[in-house]
């Protein structure tokens, strides 16, 4: 792909005054094609689309790894052992008292807890490889379900022929909730402690200085005044399993704090950021990706049913991550062995394949799970109505989706999503972090507004995200009653406005990241993500799908180096438009995409990512 044509912007703030120019005709044509895509997408949905069964029973294939210069192909076997007994239906536990998950940074000096936590993992690691409770198989559970080793199935257990993928959709939060739920139950059973809970890595916490660091629990304790080797009633701390052999970026050890706006290409430039700069940027990122998402689709991701295939294929639903998943990706990337040629897959945490091999993964996802609870309790200060209740999807296909996991008795258990939505019914809750949470809930962006001459603005007339910042025109309109269909809004004033990049083709093995700004055509990679025009960041962690041939039912797309994932990418715009003073529905805006692609690694020579269209949408 070469450079994309750009056109000078030739309209005013109001679309009513827009002249018909050559650029305008191209933009109108793009809008027309976008509408055609939506119609075809709707008509193409199979009448038999149903809830998904995500099961480890049946056909399983090796998972693709990124090849080094010396190797043509690499893969790892993540398939799980077959159940020894018939699978059983999950039953909600009888809850006599709630188990409370606590923040990892507050548990660092709790010698009894750290030793018990480490012992549980040592015993899990000592289990034989054919035991689904073993640490090996716990790692493989995430690897196989999130790297498309299995086939997606219907509830009657018949395969659809599509790869099973539990990211990029509304399955992300409930599936990971139950993954760590059973992981926690297994650990507790191995140390005879039914009240055992995982710690959560409280990386959104900007109040406590150590909360955003890699928790001390997962690092060696050194002889010092801060971390004395403790003796006496509990003896000394032993946590060797929690750090030995784990692949983590040595440049990101304490006192470094996880920057939620982390960009490897700007790491040197931002190395001298002060604590206050990181803190302010982090608050802004959680505010945008959690607080600013009022609808289930914005926060939880798009639908996933038996018509869903996130590989490059036609007439199928595409993937769509929510704010929760997008926010969580940064911690994966930051902890992993980034930019280290000895670890081409950014292992452990930086890639789906290996993430479950690091105990910090489960602590990280405990915080993702906690934020899901927090999100549902947040007030609505987003929509014009101001009284919309944030809640989970109530769609039949969502509620009836099923997952299989192995429990503490090594039995395969079938869980419906509808049984996962209330952590209290599952018997656990989280230590309240009210003061720390209030910092990002009440955060206000810095108020900086872009300054530019509209006559100098150039917008792209091609649907491509190049390696330099690119601006696109977005035609807007007022919401109507028709927009309420499929949402949980009670009236049009409860709808949340957003912008969607439709059908973005993302190479499966390529790291992709870009920021999006409204009416800020001068934005660059150095532009502050906490300014008024910023609406969010998209991150795609490298992954891959190995070759699948005839499965006895149909041919599934065969992977080669040109394999792409097809995604919708959504950004919430209501608050940003309000901050920018855009109050009229007939005001068109520019959407500027600032890419942060890597100059090396897979995809370094790809000049642009293409997409079908850019459109306004209400949820």
């Amino acid at each position: 792909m070469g450079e994309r044509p750009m056109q000078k912007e030739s309209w005013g703030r109001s679309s009513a005054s827009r002249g018909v120019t050559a650029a305008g005709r191209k933009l109108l044509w793009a809008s027309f094609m976008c509408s055609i895509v939506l119609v075809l997408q709707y008509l193409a949905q199979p009448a038999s689309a149903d809830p998904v069964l995500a099961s480890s029973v049946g056909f399983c294939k090796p998972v693709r790894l990124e090849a080094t210069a010396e190797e043509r192909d690499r893969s790892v076997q993540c398939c799980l052992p077959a159940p020894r007994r018939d699978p059983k239906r999950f039953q909600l536990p009888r809850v006599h008292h709630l188990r409370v998950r606590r923040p990892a940074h507050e548990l660092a000096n709790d010698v009894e807890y750290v030793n018990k936590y480490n012992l549980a993992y040592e015993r899990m690691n000592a289990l034989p490889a054919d035991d689904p409770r073993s640490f090996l198989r716990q790692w493989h559970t995430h690897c196989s379900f999130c790297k498309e080793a299995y086939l997606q199935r219907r509830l009657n257990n018949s395969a659809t022929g599509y790869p099973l993928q539990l990211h990029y959709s509304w399955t992300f939060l409930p599936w990971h909730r139950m993954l760590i739920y059973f992981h926690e139950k297994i650990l507790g059973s191995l140390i005879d402690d039914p009240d055992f809970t995982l710690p959560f890595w409280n990386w959104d916490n900007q109040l406590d200085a150590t909360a955003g660091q890699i928790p001390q629990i997962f690092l060696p304790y050194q002889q010092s005044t801060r971390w004395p080797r403790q003796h006496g009633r509990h003896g000394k701390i032993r946590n060797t399993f929690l750090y030995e052999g784990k692949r983590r970026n040595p440049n990101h050890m304490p006192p470094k704090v996880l920057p939620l706006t982390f960009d490897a290409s700007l790491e040197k430039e931002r190395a001298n950021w002060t604590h206050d700069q990181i803190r302010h940027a982090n608050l802004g990122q959680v505010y945008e990706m959690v607080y600013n998402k009022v609808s289930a689709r914005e926060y939880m991701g798009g639908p996933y049913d038996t018509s869903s295939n996130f590989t490059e294929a036609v007439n199928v639903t595409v993937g769509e991550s929510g704010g929760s998943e997008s926010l969580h990706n940064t911690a994966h990337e930051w902890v992993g062995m980034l930019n280290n040629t000895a670890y081409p897959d950014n292992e452990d945490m930086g890639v789906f394949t290996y993430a479950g091999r690091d105990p910090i993964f489960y602590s990280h996802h405990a915080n993702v799970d906690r934020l899901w609870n927090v999100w549902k309790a947040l007030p609505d200060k987003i929509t014009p109505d101001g009284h919309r209740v944030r809640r989970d999807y109530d769609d039949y296909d969502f509620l009836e989706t099923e997952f299989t996991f192995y429990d503490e008795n090594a039995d395969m258990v079938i869980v419906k999503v509808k049984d996962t939505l209330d952590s209290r019914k599952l018997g656990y809750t989280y230590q309240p972090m009210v003061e720390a949470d209030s910092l990002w809930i009440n955060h206000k962006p810095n108020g900086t507004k872009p300054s530019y001459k509209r006559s100098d603005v150039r917008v792209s007339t091609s649907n491509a995200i190049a390696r330099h910042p690119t601006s696109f025109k977005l035609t807007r309109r007022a919401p109507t009653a028709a927009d309420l269909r499929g949402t949980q809004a009670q009236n049009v004033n409860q709808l949340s406005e957003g912008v969607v990049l439709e059908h973005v083709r993302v190479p499966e093995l390529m790291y992709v990241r870009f920021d999006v700004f409204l009416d800020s055509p001068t934005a660059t990679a150095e532009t502050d993500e906490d300014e008024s025009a910023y609406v969010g960041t998209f991150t795609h962690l490298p992954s891959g799908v190995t070759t699948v041939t005839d499965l006895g039912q149909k041919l599934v797309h065969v992977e080669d180096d040109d394999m792409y994932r097809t995604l919708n990418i959504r950004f919430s715009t209501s608050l940003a438009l309000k901050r920018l003073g855009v109050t009229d529905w007939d005001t068109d805006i520019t959407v500027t995409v600032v890419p942060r692609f890597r100059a090396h690694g897979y995809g370094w020579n790809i000049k642009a990512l293409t997409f079908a269209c850019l459109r306004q949408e209400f949820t």
Side-chain angles (χ1 to χ4, degrees):
M1 303 177 195
E3 291 298 313
R4 297 305 180 190
M6 304 290 287
Q7 295 288 342
K8 257 196 174 183
E9 186 178 8
S10 58
W11 63 88
R13 291 288 290 185
S14 172
S15 61
S17 62
R18 184 170 61 245
V20 180
T21 63
R25 286 192 293 272
K26 289 184 178 181
L27 290 167
L28 288 172
W29 174 251
S31 298
F32 171 74
M33 292 305 296
C34 194
S35 300
I36 293 297
V37 168
L38 292 174
V39 171
L40 291 176
Q41 184 177 339
Y42 174 77
L43 293 176
Q45 294 303 309
S48 59
D50 288 309
V52 165
L53 166 61
S55 174
S56 60
V57 174
F59 176 85
C60 183
K61 59 183 174 58
V63 165
R64 170 78 178 269
L65 301 175
E66 186 170 325
T68 62
E70 295 76 27
E71 298 171 299
R72 297 284 299 175
D73 186 47
R74 298 169 65 228
S75 63
V76 63
Q77 179 63 260
C78 287
C79 302
L80 300 176
R84 300 169 184 170
R85 296 173 286 275
D86 289 340
K88 60 183 183 180
R89 290 281 170 185
F90 177 71
Q91 300 291 326
L92 287 169
R94 293 182 179 178
V95 180
H96 302 293
H97 62 276
L98 293 173
R99 295 178 293 113
V100 180
R101 290 178 181 167
R102 294 180 289 165
H105 67 282
E106 292 187 10
L107 289 166
N109 266 331
D110 188 330
V111 184
E112 182 178 14
Y113 176 83
V114 176
N115 288 349
K116 183 169 60 175
Y117 184 34
N118 184 78
L119 176 62
Y121 269 120
E122 287 182 336
R123 290 179 176 176
M124 177 182 276
N125 193 52
L127 293 173
D130 62 350
D131 190 325
R133 302 171 302 159
S134 68
F135 188 70
L136 174 71
R137 299 306 184 178
Q138 293 293 295
W139 155 36
H140 284 174
T141 300
H142 186 263
C143 170
S144 59
F145 278 84
C146 298
K147 286 279 285 182
E148 298 161 1
Y150 291 105
L151 289 178
Q152 180 198 93
R153 294 182 174 274
R154 302 178 184 87
L155 297 188
N156 65 8
N157 204 33
S158 63
T160 65
Y162 298 149
L164 177 66
Q165 172 57 259
L166 296 178
H167 289 76
Y168 315 112
S169 78
W170 63 22
T171 62
F172 171 76
L173 284 170
W175 187 84
H176 284 85
R177 167 169 283 183
M178 297 312 292
L179 172 70
I180 62 174
Y181 171 84
F182 286 112
H183 187 79
E184 181 178 73
K185 297 285 279 186
I186 293 168
L187 289 172
S189 70
L190 293 172
I191 53 174
D192 299 318
D193 184 358
D195 292 328
F196 173 79
T197 56
L198 288 165
F200 61 91
W201 179 17
N202 193 200
W203 39 257
D204 61 293
N205 181 343
Q206 305 304 306
L207 180 66
D208 300 318
T210 62
Q213 299 173 4
I214 291 180
Q216 177 61 47
I217 285 178
F218 301 105
L219 301 171
Y221 283 76
Q222 301 296 328
Q223 181 73 39
S224 69
T225 56
R226 182 182 176 194
W227 301 113
R229 290 205 177 272
Q230 302 188 33
H231 295 272
R233 189 166 65 90
H234 299 302
K236 67 179 182 180
I237 287 179
R238 174 179 169 80
N239 70 327
T240 51
F241 183 82
L242 300 177
Y243 66 84
E244 282 188 348
K246 308 305 183 287
R247 297 178 173 94
R248 299 169 186 151
N249 195 322
N251 297 320
H252 296 161
M253 294 293 120
K256 293 284 184 67
V257 172
L258 167 63
L260 294 172
T261 58
F262 176 71
D263 177 4
S265 66
L266 292 177
E267 187 162 20
K268 289 183 179 179
E269 288 84 345
R270 295 182 174 182
N272 294 323
W273 269 24
T274 65
H275 173 76
D276 284 344
Q277 284 177 299
I278 295 174
R279 177 178 180 273
H280 195 76
N282 284 354
L283 290 173
Q285 195 69 5
V286 186
Y287 174 83
E288 281 297 336
M289 306 307 283
V290 182
Y291 184 83
N292 195 22
K293 313 296 184 186
V294 70
S295 70
R297 185 153 193 163
E298 290 172 307
Y299 188 67
M300 301 179 71
Y304 187 69
D305 56 31
T306 53
S307 73
S308 301
N309 181 359
F310 298 165
T311 58
E312 188 176 47
V314 296
N315 297 342
V316 293
T317 304
V318 298
E320 182 182 322
S321 298
S324 174
E325 183 176 358
S326 296
L327 178 65
H328 112 290
N329 283 343
T330 306
H332 275 281
E333 179 190 8
W334 189 73
V335 176
M337 294 289 279
L338 185 67
N339 297 334
N340 188 321
T341 55
Y343 303 98
D345 289 279
N346 196 17
E347 55 258 54
D348 286 337
M349 277 282 282
V351 64
F352 293 158
T353 314
Y354 291 118
R357 194 167 65 177
D358 190 335
I360 201 173
F361 165 82
Y362 305 94
S363 185
H364 168 46
H365 269 277
N367 197 50
V368 175
D369 186 70
R370 183 191 75 86
L371 287 173
W372 183 13
N373 284 357
V374 174
W375 173 78
K376 285 187 275 192
L378 293 175
D380 171 19
K381 295 182 181 179
I382 311 297
T383 70
D385 180 271
H387 295 92
R388 181 168 176 174
V389 177
R390 303 175 193 241
R391 56 174 180 258
D392 302 316
Y393 280 100
D394 53 12
D395 187 280
Y396 172 84
D397 286 351
F398 173 72
L399 297 174
E400 293 297 316
T401 291
E402 294 181 347
F403 310 133
T404 62
F405 293 97
Y406 283 99
D407 68 8
E408 65 272 26
N409 300 312
D411 287 326
M412 178 176 280
V413 180
I414 304 170
V415 185
K416 284 188 180 291
V417 164
K418 65 184 179 184
D419 290 330
T420 72
L421 303 179
D422 187 341
S423 67
R424 289 177 170 268
K425 290 183 178 179
L426 293 169
Y428 73 91
T429 187
Y430 289 92
Q431 176 179 314
M433 306 299 294
V434 177
E435 189 176 0
D437 290 343
S438 69
L439 293 181
W440 57 260
I441 291 172
N442 298 314
H443 176 73
K444 298 293 184 252
N446 63 29
T448 303
K449 295 182 180 180
S451 176
Y452 60 92
K453 292 182 180 180
R454 293 190 65 79
S455 59
D456 293 336
V457 175
R458 292 182 177 272
V459 294
S460 175
T461 58
S462 296
N463 293 343
I465 301 168
R467 286 186 171 268
H468 51 75
T470 307
S471 296
F472 305 92
K473 182 183 175 183
L474 178 68
T475 301
R476 297 173 63 245
R477 61 169 177 82
T480 68
D483 293 309
L484 292 170
R485 181 180 178 183
T487 74
Q488 296 169 314
Q490 302 301 306
N491 58 68
V492 293
N493 286 325
Q494 285 191 355
L495 289 169
S496 178
E497 184 179 0
V499 58
V500 180
L501 288 161
E502 183 90 7
H503 288 205
V504 184
R505 295 177 71 247
V506 179
E508 297 231 5
L509 295 177
M510 181 178 175
Y511 171 83
V512 175
R513 176 187 170 94
F514 54 79
D515 299 333
V516 175
F517 297 83
L518 302 184
D519 264 1
S520 185
T522 57
T524 67
E526 288 74 35
T527 301
D528 187 355
E529 294 95 337
D530 195 41
E531 72 170 36
S532 295
Y534 174 74
V535 291
T537 296
F538 169 76
T539 304
H540 175 265
L541 299 177
S543 58
V545 183
T546 52
T547 300
V548 180
T549 53
D550 192 347
L551 303 177
Q553 301 176 48
K554 62 190 297 185
L555 291 177
V556 175
H557 198 108
V558 177
E559 186 196 35
D560 55 32
D561 286 342
D562 297 320
M563 187 67 177
Y564 284 75
R565 190 179 301 285
T566 309
L567 302 173
N568 287 346
I569 303 174
R570 178 183 307 275
F571 299 94
S572 306
T573 59
S574 295
L575 281 182
L577 290 171
K578 189 183 300 183
R579 293 193 297 262
L580 293 171
V582 179
T583 57
D584 296 329
W585 290 110
D586 64 349
T587 299
D588 296 338
I589 59 174
T590 58
V591 176
T592 299
V593 179
V594 179
R596 299 177 183 273
F597 302 161
R598 292 176 183 166
H600 53 81
Y602 184 86
W604 67 268
N605 58 341
I606 293 176
K607 294 183 178 179
L609 305 180
T610 61
F611 59 94
C613 64
L614 177 76
R615 60 183 172 84
Q616 175 197 41
E617 185 173 277
F618 298 95
T619 57

